[in-house]
Protein backbone atom coordinates (compact mmCIF):
# COMPACT_ATOMS: atom_id res chain seq x y z
CA UNK A 1 0.00 0.00 0.00
CA UNK A 2 1.33 3.43 -0.90
CA UNK A 3 0.09 6.91 -1.78
CA UNK A 4 1.07 8.87 -4.87
CA UNK A 5 -0.92 11.91 -3.68
CA UNK A 6 -0.01 11.95 0.01
CA UNK A 7 -1.72 15.27 0.74
CA UNK A 8 -5.27 14.16 -0.09
CA UNK A 9 -7.54 14.63 2.92
CA UNK A 10 -11.16 14.64 4.04
CA UNK A 11 -12.71 18.05 4.83
CA UNK A 12 -15.34 16.94 7.40
CA UNK A 13 -12.64 15.25 9.48
CA UNK A 14 -9.50 17.29 8.80
CA UNK A 15 -11.08 20.64 7.87
CA UNK A 16 -9.05 20.77 4.67
CA UNK A 17 -8.90 18.89 1.37
CA UNK A 18 -5.10 18.71 1.39
CA UNK A 19 -2.29 18.93 3.93
CA UNK A 20 1.43 19.34 3.53
CA UNK A 21 2.67 15.80 4.15
CA UNK A 22 0.55 12.86 5.25
CA UNK A 23 -3.10 13.55 4.53
CA UNK A 24 -6.16 11.53 5.45
CA UNK A 25 -5.46 8.97 2.73
CA UNK A 26 -2.60 7.70 4.91
CA UNK A 27 -5.07 6.90 7.71
CA UNK A 28 -7.33 5.20 5.19
CA UNK A 29 -4.29 3.22 4.01
CA UNK A 30 -3.61 2.29 7.65
CA UNK A 31 -7.16 0.95 7.91
CA UNK A 32 -6.71 -1.14 4.76
CA UNK A 33 -3.38 -2.46 6.03
CA UNK A 34 -4.76 -3.26 9.50
CA UNK A 35 -7.80 -5.04 8.05
CA UNK A 36 -5.61 -7.18 5.77
CA UNK A 37 -3.15 -7.94 8.60
CA UNK A 38 -6.05 -9.05 10.79
CA UNK A 39 -6.77 -11.67 8.12
CA UNK A 40 -3.20 -12.96 8.32
CA UNK A 41 -1.56 -11.18 5.37
CA UNK A 42 1.88 -9.61 5.45
CA UNK A 43 1.30 -5.98 4.50
CA UNK A 44 3.73 -3.14 3.90
CA UNK A 45 2.15 0.30 4.11
CA UNK A 46 4.78 2.63 2.67
CA UNK A 47 4.58 6.19 4.00
CA UNK A 48 7.02 7.78 1.53
CA UNK A 49 6.04 11.34 0.61
CA UNK A 50 5.76 12.05 -3.15
CA UNK A 51 4.81 15.73 -2.96
CA UNK A 52 4.15 18.05 -4.56
CA UNK A 53 0.81 16.93 -5.97
CA UNK A 54 1.79 17.61 -9.58
CA UNK A 55 2.50 15.84 -12.89
CA UNK A 56 5.72 14.40 -11.44
CA UNK A 57 4.02 12.64 -8.52
CA UNK A 58 3.60 9.33 -10.38
CA UNK A 59 7.25 9.42 -11.47
CA UNK A 60 8.26 9.89 -7.82
CA UNK A 61 5.87 7.22 -6.54
CA UNK A 62 7.16 4.81 -9.19
CA UNK A 63 10.35 4.44 -7.12
CA UNK A 64 8.21 3.46 -4.13
CA UNK A 65 6.19 0.95 -6.16
CA UNK A 66 9.40 -0.60 -7.53
CA UNK A 67 10.80 -0.86 -4.00
CA UNK A 68 7.64 -2.61 -2.82
CA UNK A 69 7.88 -5.07 -5.70
CA UNK A 70 11.62 -5.73 -5.50
CA UNK A 71 12.51 -5.50 -1.83
CA UNK A 72 9.24 -6.62 -0.27
CA UNK A 73 8.18 -9.03 -3.05
CA UNK A 74 4.70 -7.48 -3.10
CA UNK A 75 2.07 -9.62 -4.81
CA UNK A 76 -0.54 -6.84 -4.85
CA UNK A 77 -0.05 -3.06 -5.02
CA UNK A 78 -2.72 -0.60 -3.91
CA UNK A 79 -2.17 3.13 -4.50
CA UNK A 80 -4.75 4.69 -2.17
CA UNK A 81 -6.29 8.05 -3.13
CA UNK A 82 -9.52 9.93 -2.64
CA UNK A 83 -11.55 11.44 -5.46
CA UNK A 84 -13.05 14.93 -5.70
CA UNK A 85 -16.72 15.84 -5.70
CA UNK A 86 -19.77 16.01 -3.47
CA UNK A 87 -19.99 13.55 -0.59
CA UNK A 88 -23.23 12.02 -1.85
CA UNK A 89 -21.48 10.81 -5.00
CA UNK A 90 -19.59 8.21 -2.92
CA UNK A 91 -21.76 7.82 0.22
CA UNK A 92 -23.63 4.50 0.36
CA UNK A 93 -25.16 2.31 3.01
CA UNK A 94 -23.55 -1.12 2.76
CA UNK A 95 -24.58 -3.93 5.12
CA UNK A 96 -26.29 -1.34 7.32
CA UNK A 97 -23.26 0.98 7.62
CA UNK A 98 -22.59 4.28 5.87
CA UNK A 99 -19.33 4.04 3.96
CA UNK A 100 -17.40 5.94 1.34
CA UNK A 101 -17.43 3.80 -1.77
CA UNK A 102 -14.26 2.57 -3.43
CA UNK A 103 -13.68 3.23 -7.12
CA UNK A 104 -11.21 0.97 -8.91
CA UNK A 105 -9.03 2.86 -11.40
CA UNK A 106 -7.30 1.11 -14.28
CA UNK A 107 -4.64 2.96 -16.20
CA UNK A 108 -4.28 3.36 -19.93
CA UNK A 109 -2.09 2.87 -21.84
CA UNK A 110 -0.24 0.08 -20.07
CA UNK A 111 0.97 -3.33 -21.23
CA UNK A 112 -0.84 -4.70 -18.17
CA UNK A 113 -4.12 -2.89 -18.82
CA UNK A 114 -6.02 -6.03 -19.83
CA UNK A 115 -4.78 -7.99 -16.82
CA UNK A 116 -5.41 -5.14 -14.36
CA UNK A 117 -8.89 -4.60 -15.80
CA UNK A 118 -9.62 -8.32 -15.50
CA UNK A 119 -8.48 -8.26 -11.86
CA UNK A 120 -10.60 -5.17 -11.15
CA UNK A 121 -13.64 -6.90 -12.64
CA UNK A 122 -13.02 -9.97 -10.47
CA UNK A 123 -12.74 -7.84 -7.33
CA UNK A 124 -15.90 -5.94 -8.27
CA UNK A 125 -17.77 -9.21 -8.83
CA UNK A 126 -16.81 -10.41 -5.34
CA UNK A 127 -17.78 -7.05 -3.84
CA UNK A 128 -21.09 -6.96 -5.70
CA UNK A 129 -21.91 -10.38 -4.28
CA UNK A 130 -20.68 -9.83 -0.71
CA UNK A 131 -20.99 -6.04 -0.24
CA UNK A 132 -23.44 -4.68 -2.84
CA UNK A 133 -22.81 -0.98 -3.42
CA UNK A 134 -19.27 -0.90 -1.99
CA UNK A 135 -17.55 -0.57 -5.38
CA UNK A 136 -18.53 2.63 -7.16
CA UNK A 137 -17.30 1.20 -10.43
CA UNK A 138 -14.24 0.75 -12.57
CA UNK A 139 -12.80 3.86 -14.17
CA UNK A 140 -10.36 3.72 -17.08
CA UNK A 141 -7.92 6.59 -16.60
CA UNK A 142 -5.64 8.39 -19.03
CA UNK A 143 -2.33 7.53 -17.38
CA UNK A 144 -0.56 4.25 -16.60
CA UNK A 145 -0.55 4.95 -12.80
CA UNK A 146 2.52 2.68 -12.47
CA UNK A 147 0.36 -0.29 -13.46
CA UNK A 148 2.89 -1.16 -16.14
CA UNK A 149 5.01 -2.51 -13.26
CA UNK A 150 2.61 -5.30 -12.29
CA UNK A 151 -0.65 -6.90 -13.44
CA UNK A 152 -1.77 -6.67 -9.79
CA UNK A 153 -1.33 -2.90 -9.28
CA UNK A 154 -4.53 -0.97 -8.72
CA UNK A 155 -5.37 2.63 -7.89
CA UNK A 156 -8.18 2.99 -5.34
CA UNK A 157 -10.26 6.17 -4.98
CA UNK A 158 -11.86 6.01 -1.52
CA UNK A 159 -14.55 8.66 -1.20
CA UNK A 160 -14.08 12.34 -1.98
CA UNK A 161 -12.73 15.27 -0.02
CA UNK A 162 -16.31 15.83 1.19
CA UNK A 163 -16.72 12.39 2.82
CA UNK A 164 -15.74 11.91 6.46
CA UNK A 165 -12.55 9.93 6.93
CA UNK A 166 -14.21 7.30 9.20
CA UNK A 167 -16.60 6.42 6.37
CA UNK A 168 -13.61 5.94 4.04
CA UNK A 169 -11.96 3.76 6.68
CA UNK A 170 -15.10 1.61 6.94
CA UNK A 171 -15.18 1.32 3.14
CA UNK A 172 -11.59 0.08 2.86
CA UNK A 173 -12.07 -2.34 5.74
CA UNK A 174 -14.89 -3.93 3.72
CA UNK A 175 -12.67 -3.81 0.64
CA UNK A 176 -10.02 -5.78 2.58
CA UNK A 177 -12.63 -8.49 3.09
CA UNK A 178 -13.27 -8.46 -0.67
CA UNK A 179 -9.53 -8.90 -1.33
CA UNK A 180 -9.41 -11.74 1.20
CA UNK A 181 -12.34 -13.51 -0.44
CA UNK A 182 -10.81 -13.00 -3.89
CA UNK A 183 -7.50 -14.45 -2.69
CA UNK A 184 -9.31 -17.42 -1.14
CA UNK A 185 -10.62 -18.34 -4.59
CA UNK A 186 -6.98 -18.53 -5.72
CA UNK A 187 -5.67 -20.63 -2.85
CA UNK A 188 -4.41 -17.60 -0.91
CA UNK A 189 -1.79 -16.57 -3.46
Amino acid sequence: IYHTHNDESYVPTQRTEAVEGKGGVHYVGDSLADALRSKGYRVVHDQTIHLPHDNGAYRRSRRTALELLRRHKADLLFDVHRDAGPSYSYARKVKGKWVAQVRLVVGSPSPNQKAVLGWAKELKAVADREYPGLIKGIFIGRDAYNQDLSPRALLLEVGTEQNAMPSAQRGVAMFADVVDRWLATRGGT
Side-chain angles (χ1 to χ4, degrees):
I1 300 168
Y2 70 105
H3 308 278
T4 295
H5 295 149
N6 306 91
D7 60 337
E8 293 178 333
S9 297
Y10 299 88
V11 173
T13 308
Q14 297 175 290
R15 302 193 194 295
T16 183
E17 62 186 43
V19 301
E20 185 64 32
K22 295 179 184 177
V25 292
H26 281 262
Y27 299 104
V28 172
D30 285 340
S31 295
L32 178 59
D34 291 345
L36 288 168
R37 285 185 191 114
S38 76
K39 296 174 186 316
Y41 298 104
R42 184 181 65 84
V43 179
V44 176
H45 181 197
D46 192 285
Q47 305 281 336
T48 301
I49 301 295
H50 306 108
L51 296 175
H53 187 139
D54 62 8
N55 290 337
Y58 284 100
R59 179 181 37 79
R60 291 187 294 276
S61 71
R62 184 177 189 81
R63 289 183 285 244
T64 300
L66 283 167
E67 180 79 5
L68 289 167
L69 289 167
R70 290 180 185 151
R71 182 171 175 218
H72 298 287
K73 309 289 188 241
D75 294 317
L76 309 175
L77 285 176
F78 294 112
D79 185 3
V80 179
H81 295 248
R82 61 111 180 107
D83 205 350
S87 62
Y88 64 81
S89 66
Y90 272 82
R92 291 293 178 272
K93 204 170 207 178
V94 178
K95 298 253 180 174
K97 296 179 183 178
W98 281 100
V99 302
Q101 291 177 295
V102 178
R103 176 179 273 167
L104 309 177
V105 179
V106 176
S108 170
S110 165
N112 291 323
Q113 182 183 13
K114 186 176 179 181
V116 174
L117 180 58
W119 180 40
K121 287 178 179 178
E122 290 174 13
L123 288 169
K124 185 175 182 324
V126 172
D128 289 349
R129 191 172 53 250
E130 303 295 331
Y131 294 98
L134 175 63
I135 303 298
K136 183 168 178 64
I138 299 171
F139 178 79
I140 307 298
R142 293 185 305 238
D143 292 312
Y145 309 118
N146 295 324
Q147 292 173 356
D148 58 306
L149 300 176
S150 170
R152 295 288 183 257
L154 199 55
L155 190 153
L156 307 177
E157 297 271 18
V158 187
T160 76
E161 82 281 4
Q162 295 302 319
N163 294 107
M165 190 168 57
S167 69
Q169 292 170 304
R170 285 190 297 275
V172 292
M174 289 179 182
F175 182 73
D177 196 38
V178 169
V179 172
D180 179 52
R181 290 170 191 245
W182 177 82
L183 285 166
T185 65
R186 275 142 190 76
T189 58

